[in-house]
Amino acid sequence: MKYTDNIIGKRSAKMTVKMLGAAFFLLPSAAFISCSDSFLEEKKNYGNFDNTTVYSDYNGAQERLNSLYYWLLPVSTSGDGNGTNSPNDWTSVGNADRWAKSTEEFGGFSLFVDPGEEVTYTTSTNFDYFYVANDTYSPWGHIRNCNDVIEGVLGSSLSDEQKNELLGQAYFFRAYVYSHLVRIYGGVPIIKTVQDPVLGKDGDGSKLIVPRQTTKDCIDFICEDLDKAAQMLPAQWTNGANDFGRVTSGLAQALKGWMLLYYASPVFNRSDDASRWQAAYEANKSAIALLQSGGFGLTYQANGGAANGANWARTWLDYTGSDGSVSEAVFVTLHNTKDNVSGQPDYGKYNRWEHAIRPHNTNGGGGLTPTQEMVDLFPMADGKRPDLSTIPYDKKKFWLNRDPRFYRTFAFPGVEWKFSEGGVDLTDAALNGIIAPGLLTGANYELWSYMYNDDAADLTKVTTSNGYWPDLVAGSADKVGSHSVYVRKRSDDLALHNNPFYVFINSSSNPKGFMKNAAPLITMRYAEVLLNFAEAAAGANKLDEALQALQQIRARVGYTAENNFGLDAAIAGDRAKLIAAILYERQIELAYEGKRYEDMHRWMLFDGGAGQSALKPSWAVTGFGGNTCAWLGVQPLNGTKRHSIVLYCTTPSADDPALATRPTALSLNEDMSYDAATGTYADPKVQALAQWYDANLDRKDVNADGNDDALTIQYRPTYYFMGLRQNAMQTNPTLHQTVGWHDLGRNADGLFDPLSDTLPE
């Protein structure tokens, strides 16, 4: 894959731009991605032609459109900022970013839940996706580029068929950018045309000053764009791999369904307005139909739970997210393994996920640490949530009797986690300190991630995970902090996929380990759309349809009607309990895919909506029993802490006391069931590992949010609708500040109400 800078039109990326309104006027250089098997293949450089020339030629117009994909497709390193570090750095995809670290998935106080730091309109470290700057990553720059494509194509002499194909994609991406803005801020300025930054082109420049619009107006605008996209785009592209990854009519309708579901959720729908749920239901039902017509569905629907979720895990190990009959990859970003071109930057063409989740002793990035709360949250083999107060759930041997998806979401001590070393000699002495000692090939890699310590007092401390870790799993033989459980979700496991997407590299510098990776990044799956439909149906009181959709998700991983798909029978006729069950299923099915923060935000699960009436009386939650957490029967995240699981050897020792007795590691093909009443195991390998745990290990849950127990998660009531930073208000004085945030121009509280259909004076 190579990249070339391509300036569209006559403006240079170095030009000085004066910003007068909320919009951002720079037309950034377009970096085109070239892949031999994808629609992103570069054919010509159109940078020397003006817009008229570009849009009069179908290839030129398509290349201009393709630049939108480069800037706006989610990338594997996304989620920790406003886009200033890489394209689309504001979409969470499962990493330990500031979104996921605001949920149960990862520990560590993010900006949004840090009790010691309050985000204000002047905070220099403020999350500010809205930001107005002369920067190629601004959302307003992306909107301008979408508008440029739309205007250029509409004004061109291309055929109607060509226009519709290009316009459908541009309308989708404009709606996609706005969908992020509206979920964070509520109403924002609606910019439908390319604004010329040169004063005098439109008189006094007043047309460039665009105020915020109501949230409803923005939702309507997004839906209007997505309706156009759904009408213009195919349900499935017919050009095979060359067009795989382009947006489809089903995706456009699915995004519309998601936005209307967000608008029906309590963060926007405090009174539980039934009409919003009905609109979300209808949109998501249409999305399901369109996706099915395009060949999308649940992969391995008949046997996804076989071999502890092996087929379910293979969804991510096929180029098109397919089992050969249907594809689950509704929204996907492509990558490759081609070398960087000298003198040109790496624009994220490698999927870095596999490297991030792999342990140090495979030359991986060290792994992502799931919280104890997430590990203990996953269902048992009967589909029910564990009861932490009872034995059949053994907290030390937490891996017994679990939902099939558990084994493909987490890795723990005593399991195989195979990889392809690509012919690299892993026994080379030069690799000492990088690769696990004694590792012959990646095909025999076993994870043994437990701690031992010669200081008996340190063993049980929950304020530290310092100790010795075997096999260089922590990256050093010295005492360093590590963890016993790893995120395994979406792993390119050699046992499941004998043709890995990555090229293993034994370098100690970038790229290294698993970095050079062509795995597609699936950021919306059919399973998610089905869960969106289930929730919208439940919200609209179509409980039977909601339950059937939920059952489909569970049936895929092995639950059957005989045990009611592992569901509590009481949810069938109870709207609140059914929605709670759907949200719980989202936590499991979509774990570590970057979805949980948005679910917590839209359902106000940090505090249930407490404190909203203090911001504005009309903001009180009047539906959902007055508090969403109480209504759903879940504990608010505020006031809690998160923890990391550390399994440690109970015998103090400076040498690994458990090494000599290690049993055979589990391949995950074993029957993991254990009958606590009789003390019998279904598989002798499972029994051997369990007995080794009993003889050698104990468990402690180490503080993952700092050692001061007085410091707990605090998501402030004002964060449900973020305020505008100082520079936005200074740049455009018509931008009213959000209620609950300081308005710089008025030197008072903001007047813009994201829940009102009336604009402030």
Side-chain angles (χ1 to χ4, degrees):
M1 181 180 292
K2 75 179 179 181
Y3 300 87
T4 57
D5 288 333
N6 189 349
I7 306 300
I8 304 300
K10 298 179 179 179
R11 299 182 183 90
S12 165
K14 297 181 180 179
M15 69 180 291
T16 300
V17 176
K18 184 173 183 179
M19 295 160 292
L20 299 175
F24 163 65
F25 310 110
L26 179 64
L27 199 61
S29 63
F32 295 135
I33 305 172
S34 175
C35 299
S36 61
D37 60 350
S38 81
F39 67 90
L40 295 172
E41 182 177 3
E42 181 185 23
K43 298 174 177 66
K44 286 184 179 181
N45 185 336
Y46 291 88
N48 296 325
F49 299 87
D50 63 22
N51 285 9
T52 303
T53 304
V54 168
Y55 291 113
S56 66
D57 176 272
Y58 175 73
N59 288 332
Q62 189 176 61
E63 293 293 356
R64 178 70 178 108
L65 171 75
N66 288 351
S67 70
L68 300 182
Y69 282 87
Y70 165 71
W71 288 108
L72 295 174
L73 284 178
V75 295
S76 65
T77 54
S78 291
D80 212 32
N82 51 21
T84 56
N85 297 318
S86 64
N88 194 345
D89 190 34
W90 28 262
T91 300
S92 183
V93 297
N95 298 297
D97 54 42
R98 64 177 57 183
W99 309 104
K101 287 167 72 174
S102 300
T103 74
E104 307 95 337
E105 292 191 333
F106 293 107
F109 291 128
S110 76
L111 181 68
F112 301 138
V113 298
D114 189 342
E117 181 177 3
E118 181 176 4
V119 178
T120 71
Y121 78 102
T122 60
T123 305
S124 60
T125 58
N126 186 12
F127 166 76
D128 188 18
Y129 173 55
F130 188 99
Y131 76 105
V132 181
N134 183 8
D135 192 292
T136 57
Y137 301 109
S138 165
W140 305 106
H142 298 319
I143 290 168
R144 187 186 197 282
N145 282 336
C146 293
N147 288 335
D148 182 83
V149 173
I150 291 168
E151 290 186 2
V153 171
L154 283 174
S156 73
S157 59
L158 299 174
S159 70
D160 288 344
E161 181 180 2
Q162 290 172 330
K163 285 183 177 180
N164 285 342
E165 177 187 293
L166 299 170
L167 287 170
Q169 296 170 82
Y171 283 128
F172 170 83
F173 279 115
R174 185 168 71 177
Y176 180 62
V177 178
Y178 267 105
S179 73
H180 287 279
L181 283 164
V182 172
R183 290 198 303 270
I184 296 168
Y185 299 99
V188 294
I190 296 175
I191 312 293
K192 298 182 180 181
T193 61
V194 177
Q195 297 177 317
D196 197 313
V198 179
L199 287 175
K201 291 281 186 173
D202 67 342
D204 61 359
S206 59
K207 292 181 181 179
L208 303 181
I209 307 295
V210 182
R212 295 175 77 170
Q213 303 300 305
T214 68
T215 300
K216 182 182 184 303
D217 286 342
C218 291
I219 293 289
D220 289 345
F221 175 61
I222 290 169
C223 290
E224 178 185 327
D225 268 4
L226 292 172
D227 283 339
K228 292 176 184 176
Q231 292 169 3
M232 294 175 173
L233 293 171
Q236 184 182 66
W237 291 85
T238 58
N239 198 22
N242 288 328
D243 279 328
F244 174 68
R246 285 196 185 277
V247 299
T248 64
S249 59
L251 172 58
Q253 188 66 31
L255 181 58
K256 177 183 176 181
W258 172 236
M259 282 307 299
L260 288 175
L261 179 60
Y262 223 112
Y263 194 49
S265 300
V267 71
F268 284 112
N269 185 16
R270 306 291 170 87
S271 65
D272 197 11
D273 180 355
S275 66
R276 295 195 190 180
W277 288 109
Q278 181 66 26
Y281 163 78
E282 292 172 358
N284 280 288
K285 187 172 184 176
S286 296
I288 293 292
L290 267 176
L291 288 170
Q292 289 178 345
S293 72
F296 295 93
L298 291 178
T299 59
Y300 303 98
Q301 188 167 8
N303 62 347
N308 295 314
N311 282 344
W312 178 77
R314 287 188 174 97
T315 298
W316 291 273
L317 300 180
D318 182 273
Y319 181 67
T320 59
S322 173
D323 64 358
S325 62
V326 294
S327 172
E328 195 156 334
V330 174
F331 194 20
V332 63
T333 302
L334 303 179
H335 300 87
N336 68 29
T337 58
K338 295 186 178 181
D339 293 326
N340 291 338
V341 177
S342 177
Q344 294 185 5
D346 179 355
Y347 283 111
K349 64 184 180 180
Y350 301 151
N351 187 333
R352 302 298 179 94
W353 176 258
E354 189 75 24
H355 185 77
I357 65 174
R358 287 282 184 168
H360 283 296
N361 64 356
T362 64
N363 205 19
L368 296 177
T369 309
T371 62
Q372 163 258 313
E373 286 75 13
M374 278 297 291
V375 172
D376 290 340
L377 176 80
F378 264 62
M380 302 302 291
D382 64 359
K384 302 296 194 299
R385 185 167 177 165
D387 184 346
L388 304 187
S389 65
T390 64
I391 306 285
Y393 184 66
D394 184 332
K395 287 193 69 176
K396 181 169 67 175
K397 299 187 292 294
F398 53 83
W399 43 272
L400 289 171
N401 291 324
R402 301 307 292 269
D403 180 292
R405 293 167 291 187
F406 177 93
Y407 302 103
R408 307 299 169 176
T409 303
F410 306 110
F412 49 89
V415 295
E416 296 178 350
W417 194 356
K418 298 179 179 182
F419 64 94
S420 172
E421 80 287 350
V424 173
D425 181 8
L426 299 182
T427 63
D428 189 336
L431 306 185
N432 186 30
I434 298 178
I435 303 297
L439 187 59
L440 302 176
T441 69
N444 68 352
Y445 179 76
E446 301 175 354
L447 179 67
W448 295 100
S449 46
Y450 54 86
M451 186 191 77
Y452 58 98
N453 202 321
D454 53 353
D455 185 342
D458 257 0
L459 285 178
T460 58
K461 286 182 180 177
V462 296
T463 56
T464 178
S465 59
N466 284 347
Y468 300 106
W469 294 79
D471 303 343
L472 298 177
V473 70
S476 170
D478 297 327
K479 288 187 177 183
V480 294
S482 190
H483 51 283
S484 292
V485 186
Y486 288 72
V487 173
R488 188 175 185 148
K489 184 77 172 281
R490 295 179 283 164
S491 178
D492 198 347
D493 188 338
L494 187 64
L496 303 180
H497 187 218
N498 59 14
N499 187 24
F501 290 114
Y502 56 82
V503 175
F504 183 78
I505 298 176
N506 194 45
S507 169
S508 59
S509 60
N510 190 352
K512 60 183 178 181
F514 304 87
M515 284 184 176
K516 198 173 179 182
N517 197 323
L521 175 65
I522 303 173
T523 49
M524 181 182 284
R525 295 192 283 129
Y526 182 87
E528 180 186 349
V529 182
L530 190 56
L531 286 166
N532 293 348
F533 168 75
E535 185 183 331
N541 266 310
K542 302 179 188 301
L543 303 187
D544 288 345
E545 291 182 63
L547 184 58
Q548 289 169 11
L550 178 59
Q551 290 170 345
Q552 286 185 54
I553 297 292
R554 290 210 144 199
R556 197 245 296 257
V557 292
Y559 299 111
T560 64
E562 283 69 28
N563 76 336
N564 195 36
F565 302 95
L567 297 167
D568 185 344
I571 70 174
D574 189 308
R575 179 171 175 253
K577 289 181 178 178
L578 181 53
I579 291 177
I582 293 166
L583 291 173
Y584 175 59
E585 196 67 20
R586 292 178 70 92
Q587 280 188 276
I588 307 307
E589 176 70 27
L590 306 177
Y592 301 102
E593 295 184 47
K595 309 298 180 180
R596 181 57 178 168
Y597 174 83
E598 291 182 339
D599 286 349
M600 296 197 69
H601 174 257
R602 61 193 181 86
W603 274 95
M604 309 181 81
L605 298 182
F606 298 97
D607 56 13
Q612 292 296 297
S613 60
L615 296 173
K616 189 170 183 178
S618 61
W619 281 20
V621 177
T622 56
F624 313 102
N627 184 288
T628 59
C629 289
W631 189 74
L632 293 167
V634 301
Q635 180 185 11
L637 194 63
N638 274 3
T640 66
K641 289 182 70 73
R642 293 156 299 186
H643 305 82
S644 302
I645 294 174
V646 171
L647 295 165
Y648 63 93
C649 293
T650 54
T651 302
S653 176
D655 298 312
D656 183 354
L659 174 62
T661 59
R662 284 182 189 173
T664 302
L666 303 181
S667 68
L668 299 183
N669 290 314
E670 298 83 6
D671 185 338
M672 299 291 186
S673 59
Y674 167 67
D675 187 337
T678 63
T680 57
Y681 295 83
D683 190 289
K685 285 178 63 179
V686 173
Q687 179 176 353
L689 183 61
Q691 290 175 341
W692 179 83
Y693 267 64
D694 284 334
N696 293 278
L697 303 181
D698 208 343
R699 165 177 163 173
K700 62 180 180 180
D701 296 336
V702 176
N703 292 335
D705 291 331
N707 296 335
D708 186 346
D709 284 332
L711 297 178
T712 59
I713 289 171
Q714 183 179 2
Y715 187 91
R716 301 172 192 272
T718 52
Y719 294 177
Y720 286 111
F721 296 118
M722 297 300 289
L724 305 180
R725 264 184 88 180
Q726 180 173 334
N727 69 336
M729 291 181 283
Q730 290 173 326
T731 302
N732 182 350
T734 72
L735 290 178
H736 276 286
Q737 179 63 287
T738 307
V739 169
W741 296 76
H742 186 76
D743 190 305
L744 183 66
R746 295 174 52 253
N747 193 28
D749 187 65
L751 293 176
F752 184 85
D753 183 351
L755 300 181
S756 174
D757 292 341
T758 302
L759 293 172
E761 295 294 332

